[in-house]
Amino acid sequence: MKIFVDSADLEEIRELASWGIVDGVTTNPTLVKKSGRSFSEIIEEIFKIVDGPISLEVVSEKASDMVKEAEGLVKKVSKQYQKNVAIKVPMNPEGLKAVKQLSEKGIKTNVTLIFSANQALLAAKAGASYVSPFIGRLDDIGQDGMQIIEEIMEIFTNYDIETEVIVASIRHPIHVIHAARIGADIATIPPGIIRKMANHSLTDVGIQLFLNDWEKVKK
Ligand code: G3P
């Protein structure tokens, strides 16, 4: 399973990329706001850090405006990195129209705010490169978010659909294990959860024990 960092925090992305575990990045307007930097500043840096798909979200509401905005975003990125741009488009009829047009222009898209397998199927048919089902937000309202990942994976496998499934709105490490067991293509994970995945209290205890014993070894 590929791991994307779900963040616009350049320091965090840089640190995690240095671990050798980052295949891509997803951003959204909320994450950009949280980073405290301008969108232009983020776009300028992020592609230099990670050589993989980077999702940038459009905020227009009409399909024609989304397409213009997407083309503008691609142009903001230096030529060598443009192949890595994935335009995040919301899952609604205008978004689907935009996805169709962008895919015809050879621009990658990531259809976001997906909450059902039917939405994922329509997005894939419109030509989405990626779909992003938000599992945590479904869990929040008392639905089993992971169940729609199972459904989408089954449907996409049945019809050899090439659109990749990004498990999004991940809230804890168990979500990641479930996503990987189901065989999702990608999990986009907030930095704090990636750090939790790397940690185990027994690992820390074990390291301390070895260090203590090493101190006692006759030099
Ligand atoms: O990738 C989507 C993600 O950023 C949304 O997460 O926690 O706001 O539901 P959350």
Side-chain angles (χ1 to χ4, degrees), residues 6 26 28 30-31 88 112 132 134 136-137 140 168-171 188 190:
D6 194 24
T26 51
N28 64 35
T30 306
L31 294 172
K88 237 178 172 184
T112 189
S132 290
F134 276 29
R137 292 193 195 180
D140 288 347
S169 184
I170 283 180
R171 296 283 164 74
T188 189

Side-chain angles (χ1 to χ4, degrees), residues 213-219:
D213 286 342
W214 189 244
E215 280 299 306
K216 293 172 199 149
V217 171
K218 280 203 178 105
K219 296 284 173 343

Side-chain angles (χ1 to χ4, degrees), residues 58-76:
V58 291
V59 290
S60 305
E61 292 180 76
K62 285 253 165 276
S64 54
D65 296 335
M66 287 182 198
V67 171
K68 271 188 225 133
E69 192 185 340
E71 288 175 321
L73 286 173
V74 172
K75 278 197 198 114
K76 275 193 174 189

Side-chain angles (χ1 to χ4, degrees), residues 142-160:
Q143 278 187 38
D144 181 3
M146 209 46 85
Q147 198 190 321
I148 75 158
I149 303 299
E150 280 177 27
E151 291 170 358
I152 296 168
M153 290 309 298
E154 185 183 343
I155 293 166
F156 283 15
T157 305
N158 284 349
Y159 296 101
D160 290 329

